[in-house]
Amino acid sequence: MSKSSQNLMAGAGILTLAGIIAKILSAVYRIPFQNLVGNTGFYVYQQVYPIYGIGVVLALSGWPLFISKIITEQTDNERKQLVARRLFWLLFIISFILFMFVYGGAPLIATGMGNDLKLIPVIRAVAWMFWFMPFLAVGRGFAQGQLNMVPTAISQVIEQIVRVGIIIGVAWWGVHAGWSVYKIGSWATAAATFAAMLATLYISRTIKLVWQTPITKPVKKERAIGWIRIFQRLWSEGNLLAMLTGLLVLLQLVDSFSTKGLLEVNGMSSQAAEYAKGVYDRGQPLVQLGMVLATAVSTSLLPVLRSHAVRKEDGDFIHDFQMMLRLSLILSSVATVGLIAVMPAANQVLFSTREGSQALMVFVLTIIPATLILIITSVLQSLDYTRGVSWFVLLTMIVKYILNMIFIPQLGIVGASLATLLALVPMLYFVLHRLPKKLRRQWHSQNWWYKLMTTLLVVLLTAGLWGWASDKLMGASRLASLFSLITSALIGIIMFIVMIWRLRLLSKEEWYALPKGYKLYHFLERKGNSCD
């Protein structure tokens, strides 16, 4: 492997690690926050969170990925810097428009979010974050385009740590000072702006490099890097990457504009609907946690796939893609089944009550299609097979809204969870069929599905039955639920490992692709040989 390839792989590893840390922080902080502010306070924060989420997707993944791609295409530093400068000013204009729309349109947005006008200051608090998006997107994208992943990785971790720290601190202080949940929500969403400011300060050295070299007039007049051409590519390629990365955030946005009002149609008072929406929003961190391991494994394999694609190593590309698909499906499935098995206890331990456990069981089923959509669209991007995908993202949002209108008045928050799950099905079907046939052909061995379903059933029954028995023996207090959760999870993990080993669901190569999988493989092999 060449030195540049080794640098790329090392950089991808740093970026993957930073992404995992950020995802865990993003999922975990909601638990103490909800415990401090309660379900209604959690509802206030989660109503506005999708606006922040869209900004993060644009500044962290969608735009930087596109910028890194277009920077890499340039032949010299002069052209790279000119493209980065023009992208900065285009993004500055877009950010200004987004700020004006969110800040100025806060009353209209709050009206759309269940006619809750108390959300206006909360929405306006998050709007200021958009001013930092051009700096973060161009700084990160310019560095990535030169195969330097460190600025992106460190700025990402800084941003999350600062934001999470402020949010938890504000929640604790606000509760003890007797603040309203809306005042706490305003300061919690403002944390995104302070975090973005500090991340921008860190990445400012990289941003300075964009203005380092004077640009000559002949380069400025090149049509391939002209203003119009760059804007066209930003609109088509950059926004597509952002939409794909932020699919779940976009579905949360649909919920923010529809769930509370539809719960009121079901006969709930405004306060009861806010409380129920807060219970429903418990599903978001659970889904994020459930996706961490599967997406971590798949993102670690993506640079290898891109390397095969560049070198036109078709056989290796097919082999590694199919292995990634199998591992992602296995890990996302067992995470889903495990969460369903321990849900009542997990709900009480994490969020203090068992309310909404049925809705959360349905909600976590979205882990499987969401994980598969994420990794398959990443592969489609590397192959330039993304035509039509953006329309399906919009279709998914429309389907989600229609299903919300059908299910929520009848089933409450269970209906909202079901709507999210079913809305992802057409998108999953589409991206699977956008894959070249050679990638889908013979991607699993004989009896593979039987082995997987048997494994999942054993995990569900053993962990679920132990949780049920634990409740009967020890009661359903929070402390008893903690014991039930830990022991049920351990039983589920042990049974999962035993089943995939006994049924030979994973090959040796697939074991090695898992974190510390090679150690576990050799441990099980030694145990198996000693028992023979």
Side-chain angles (χ1 to χ4, degrees), residues 260-282:
K260 184 199 169 193
L262 290 168
L263 287 170
E264 290 175 339
V265 170
N266 198 24
M268 285 189 182
S269 66
S270 179
Q271 290 77 15
E274 290 171 5
Y275 186 90
K277 174 66 165 51
V279 173
Y280 166 71
D281 285 330
R282 297 177 183 183

Side-chain angles (χ1 to χ4, degrees), residues 30-236:
R30 286 180 172 92
I31 295 165
F33 182 75
Q34 185 274 345
N35 278 250
L36 285 165
V37 300
N39 289 317
T40 305
F42 196 47
Y43 148 82
V44 170
Y45 178 77
Q46 285 292 123
Q47 281 292 89
V48 180
Y49 175 82
I51 299 172
Y52 159 76
I54 290 167
V56 165
V57 166
L58 291 172
L60 184 62
S61 48
W63 285 347
L65 277 173
F66 163 72
I67 292 167
S68 67
K69 180 182 176 184
I70 199 170
I71 293 294
T72 306
E73 293 170 0
Q74 308 312 311
T75 54
D76 56 50
N77 283 332
E78 197 176 9
R79 284 172 178 80
K80 288 178 181 180
Q81 289 181 38
L82 177 62
V83 167
R85 292 178 201 183
R86 288 179 170 173
L87 280 165
F88 176 85
W89 291 116
L90 287 170
L91 295 182
F92 189 86
I93 293 166
I94 293 170
S95 297
F96 170 74
I97 293 168
L98 287 171
F99 171 79
M100 292 302 294
F101 174 76
V102 175
Y103 192 90
L108 189 63
I109 295 169
T111 302
M113 290 180 171
N115 201 30
D116 189 353
L117 297 182
K118 292 179 183 177
L119 287 173
I120 292 172
V122 187
I123 295 166
R124 284 180 170 164
V126 81
W128 295 98
M129 174 203 64
F130 288 107
W131 286 112
F132 296 95
M133 283 167 41
F135 300 94
L136 291 172
V138 172
R140 288 162 171 167
F142 189 75
Q144 286 173 228
Q146 300 184 78
L147 305 183
N148 182 8
M149 309 298 175
V150 174
T152 297
I154 295 179
S155 67
Q156 184 179 356
V157 174
I158 287 171
E159 190 174 354
Q160 282 295 341
I161 289 174
V162 171
R163 188 175 73 89
V164 168
I166 293 173
I167 287 171
I168 301 302
V170 161
W172 181 85
W173 178 265
V175 168
H176 285 80
W179 289 1
S180 73
V181 291
Y182 289 92
K183 186 175 181 180
I184 293 172
S186 296
W187 280 95
T189 52
T193 301
F194 293 114
M197 188 190 304
L198 286 173
T200 300
L201 284 173
Y202 169 78
I203 214 165
S204 59
R205 280 188 296 180
T206 306
I207 299 167
K208 286 178 185 175
L209 297 176
V210 173
W211 273 271
Q212 197 174 38
T213 307
I215 309 298
T216 59
K217 284 186 179 179
V219 174
K220 287 183 180 181
K221 292 180 179 179
E222 288 185 23
R223 288 185 65 187
I225 53 176
W227 287 98
I228 295 173
R229 180 60 186 148
I230 291 174
F231 178 74
Q232 287 172 339
R233 291 191 62 183
L234 174 66
W235 187 258
S236 58

Side-chain angles (χ1 to χ4, degrees), residues 305 316-328 437-444 448 510:
L305 287 178
D316 291 335
F317 186 95
I318 293 167
H319 175 269
D320 288 349
F321 166 75
Q322 291 182 346
M323 180 174 71
M324 184 175 72
L325 187 63
R326 288 191 299 270
L327 285 174
S328 299
K437 287 184 179 178
K438 61 185 179 183
L439 294 179
R440 290 183 277 129
R441 195 178 298 125
Q442 297 177 338
W443 66 274
H444 59 81
W448 187 86
E510 288 166 344

Side-chain angles (χ1 to χ4, degrees), residues 9 81 155 291 398:
M9 293 295 288
Q81 289 181 38
S155 67
M291 291 176 67
I398 293 167

Side-chain angles (χ1 to χ4, degrees), residues 340-362:
I340 290 171
V342 303
M343 184 56 71
N347 194 12
Q348 184 161 13
V349 170
L350 299 176
F351 302 109
S352 75
T353 70
R354 297 194 174 196
E355 293 170 291
S357 291
Q358 285 183 318
L360 299 182
M361 287 179 186
V362 177

